[in-house]
Amino acid sequence: MVRDDAVFGCTGVLLIGTRGAAGPGEVLVRVRGGSEAFLAWSAEPLPARTTVLVIESRGNRQVDVMEWADPLDASPGDAD
């Protein structure tokens, strides 16, 4: 199993929600100047269309992800 270090720290969107320990979903990751699909594992279930951050590569086109909200994408009305 070869790690894919290029995906570490990349963001993506879940195409198929994850099920936590019960199984993976699928994520479309922005990497290498394009987008690539990977099996996505997370500690807690996450629904489809969730924006995620890749926190680890398992190799064999599998990654660990966590929910991610880019602080630079906050709209002006969000700051109080």
Side-chain angles (χ1 to χ4, degrees):
M1 160 168 65
V2 178
R3 266 176 60 122
D4 186 352
D5 290 330
V7 298
F8 181 78
C10 292
T11 59
V13 176
L14 290 176
L15 301 173
I16 299 171
T18 64
R19 296 178 290 142
E26 185 177 17
V27 63
L28 190 61
V29 178
R30 293 184 298 260
V31 64
R32 292 183 270 272
S35 296
E36 299 180 25
F38 293 83
L39 285 180
W41 296 83
S42 63
E44 300 295 323
L46 298 171
R49 295 183 298 282
T50 300
T51 299
V52 295
L53 176 69
V54 176
I55 57 173
E56 187 63 62
S57 169
R58 295 184 175 206
N60 297 325
R61 302 200 60 79
Q62 297 185 59
V63 295
D64 290 332
V65 299
M66 62 180 280
E67 189 170 5
W68 176 252
D70 188 340
L72 299 178
D73 285 344
S75 60
D78 290 346
D80 290 328

